[in-house]
Amino acid sequence: MLVGLMQPFRKPTPFAKNISIKAKSKGIDILYMHPSYINEDDHTTSGLILNGDTWEEVQTNIPETIDVSAFCLKFKHTIEYLRKHAYLTEDGRNKISKERIQKIMEKDKYFQKYAIPTCRCKTFSIIKGYLSKYGEVVVKPIYSQLGKNIYKISQINEDEFIIGYQKSSHKMNLQDTFSYFQNIISKDKFIVQKYIPSRTHLGDPFDCRVHLEKNKEGNWVIAKKYIRIGTDQQVVSNIQQGGNMFDAGMFLKLKFEEEAQLVNQHINSFALFMAKHTEKIRKRELVTLGLDIGIDNDKNLFLFEANSAPDTSLLQEEVTKLRIDYYTYLLEQLAERAPKELA
């Protein structure tokens, strides 16, 4: 049995090697692929298969099942071609931006309590309106990675504001604030959101990353849940910007004491419901999802972001096992469909 693993790197990643080794024990060969390897003329692809400790190049028919990294979606023509000839775990259709996910949740009776008031900000006047309403807001790109270009604005009075970015903050008057942000939002697509105070006892921003995967029954499970703290950061808790990672259970006990278990259960139930809801919105099944959840001092949960390509470097063992189980499920589903299609 052959499963394609399409990633944006020409050289196989440690994750690809790990999953290839363990998939062989289940009778599955992993074909490591890059979008540029596809030959549409004869419906074949080149790729790499791990043999012992060595990657060997092969030429083969396009696998019927391909696990596609969301970072490969920029190869639009190739993805569109593959979508017609194979089952893809991700094809980019109906993708949900930071702006759209909040709007969708606001309209849903169950999910609206997890939504954050959000608006596209093409001009500073929209940011100013949110500041007048909420006092503190966050401005960030609709499409961004690793918590880059995220700003916090606090209004002190009509002519004084505090701008927080990464590890620094400074005051500005209204005119300087206008010029500063008008310049920023003119260069990219940005949104403004009500600021959600998800902070530790020491005042550092934190969120809970919930990494979800599919299991051998094709159902969502939580592969790992951990807390990210942006030590000395003004806005975000991204650990690649100098933050730290903590066990979720331990952190919740320290933060919420006797109510920690209820908060933990709430996070779990919300994450599983949100994963199913995301598939409903996108009108397709997914294989992986990363949810970034904020928790205020009243223990209310808020969805900061739904990530279709969550980092696996911190939980390779958990993801590898679940991913191989899901490949087995997909191959079984494919085998069951084949006789019906031939009948």
Side-chain angles (χ1 to χ4, degrees):
M1 295 187 290
L2 185 69
V3 172
L5 178 64
M6 180 171 282
Q7 296 194 320
F9 313 105
R10 294 182 183 275
K11 183 178 179 180
T13 60
F15 174 71
K17 184 174 183 178
N18 194 26
I19 204 168
S20 294
I21 293 171
K22 296 187 177 179
K24 283 185 182 293
S25 66
K26 300 284 187 179
I28 300 172
D29 282 319
I30 300 297
L31 178 69
Y32 187 84
M33 308 166 66
H34 183 274
S36 65
Y37 295 168
I38 305 298
N39 186 340
E40 297 181 21
D41 293 335
D42 59 4
H43 190 58
T44 62
T45 181
S46 58
L48 299 168
I49 291 181
L50 191 66
N51 185 5
D53 198 46
T54 304
W55 289 100
E56 296 183 351
E57 186 172 349
V58 298
Q59 190 80 18
T60 184
N61 292 329
I62 292 173
E64 294 181 299
T65 299
I66 306 175
D67 186 359
V68 179
S69 164
F71 292 108
C72 293
L73 297 178
K74 61 184 179 181
F75 297 88
K76 294 181 180 180
H77 176 79
T78 299
I79 296 298
E80 182 62 23
Y81 169 78
L82 289 174
R83 188 175 66 81
K84 298 174 183 177
H85 299 281
Y87 176 82
L88 309 182
T89 60
E90 174 63 270
D91 62 11
R93 289 183 296 173
N94 298 319
K95 284 199 74 177
I96 310 171
S97 69
K98 294 182 180 70
E99 178 185 25
R100 186 181 171 212
I101 191 67
Q102 299 296 339
K103 298 300 183 184
I104 289 170
M105 290 196 300
E106 283 178 0
K107 297 176 182 179
D108 187 282
K109 290 183 179 179
Y110 174 80
F111 289 101
Q112 59 189 199
K113 63 183 177 182
Y114 304 104
I116 304 171
T118 301
C119 185
R120 180 82 64 91
C121 53
K122 297 181 180 180
T123 63
F124 179 76
S125 61
I126 295 173
I127 298 175
K128 186 65 169 64
Y130 259 57
L131 279 167
S132 298
K133 188 173 184 178
Y134 300 113
E136 292 182 297
V137 302
V138 171
V139 174
K140 59 186 178 182
I142 292 178
Y143 304 104
S144 67
Q145 297 173 10
L146 307 177
K148 294 180 179 178
N149 300 322
I150 299 179
Y151 305 83
K152 178 188 172 191
I153 315 174
S154 304
Q155 182 166 356
I156 301 173
N157 54 51
E158 283 299 317
D159 193 49
E160 198 169 17
F161 303 83
I162 296 178
I163 315 302
Y165 179 67
Q166 295 185 351
K167 294 188 176 184
S168 65
S169 65
H170 52 277
K171 290 184 180 180
M172 287 187 184
N173 61 31
L174 177 59
Q175 184 58 46
D176 289 342
T177 303
F178 171 86
S179 300
Y180 183 73
F181 281 99
Q182 195 63 41
N183 180 56
I184 289 171
I185 63 180
S186 66
K187 296 177 181 178
D188 203 349
K189 295 179 180 179
F190 277 79
I191 53 174
V192 58
Q193 294 183 317
K194 175 185 176 182
Y195 169 69
I196 302 298
S198 182
R199 299 257 169 183
T200 68
H201 292 306
L202 296 177
D204 294 318
F206 79 89
D207 67 16
C208 181
R209 162 56 67 91
V210 184
H211 187 120
L212 299 108
E213 294 278 329
K214 289 287 183 66
N215 65 9
K216 60 184 178 182
E217 284 85 33
N219 298 321
W220 285 110
V221 293
I222 295 173
K224 192 166 186 174
K225 183 168 78 250
Y226 52 94
I227 300 295
R228 304 180 300 184
I229 299 177
T231 308
D232 297 326
Q233 293 282 335
Q234 293 294 318
V235 194
V236 298
S237 54
N238 192 291
I239 57 177
Q240 296 192 29
Q241 292 187 19
N244 294 292
M245 185 183 80
F246 292 89
D247 174 75
M250 183 183 300
F251 176 87
L252 294 174
K253 286 180 181 178
L254 292 172
K255 174 73 174 173
F256 299 109
E257 300 176 348
E258 68 276 3
E259 295 179 282
Q261 186 174 353
L262 288 175
V263 175
N264 189 54
Q265 291 172 349
H266 190 184
I267 294 171
N268 290 347
S269 61
F270 166 63
L272 291 169
F273 274 123
M274 191 66 215
K276 294 176 184 177
H277 193 58
T278 301
E279 288 185 312
K280 183 179 178 181
I281 295 167
R282 292 199 56 188
K283 300 177 182 178
R284 62 160 296 123
E285 292 185 1
L286 302 171
V287 64
T288 186
L289 188 67
L291 301 179
D292 298 337
I293 300 170
I295 314 170
D296 68 15
N297 288 329
D298 295 322
K299 299 172 286 296
N300 298 308
L301 307 185
F302 297 90
L303 181 66
F304 287 158
E305 188 172 348
N307 191 329
S308 60
D311 180 26
T312 61
S313 61
L314 299 173
L315 57 159
Q316 282 202 23
E317 289 300 316
E318 295 92 337
V319 172
T320 296
K321 180 184 182 304
L322 288 166
R323 198 67 65 88
I324 294 170
D325 283 345
Y326 188 59
Y327 292 164
T328 303
Y329 167 82
L330 288 177
L331 291 170
E332 288 172 352
Q333 294 295 304
L334 192 66
E336 288 178 6
R337 287 198 301 269
K340 294 178 183 179
E341 292 172 356
L342 293 173

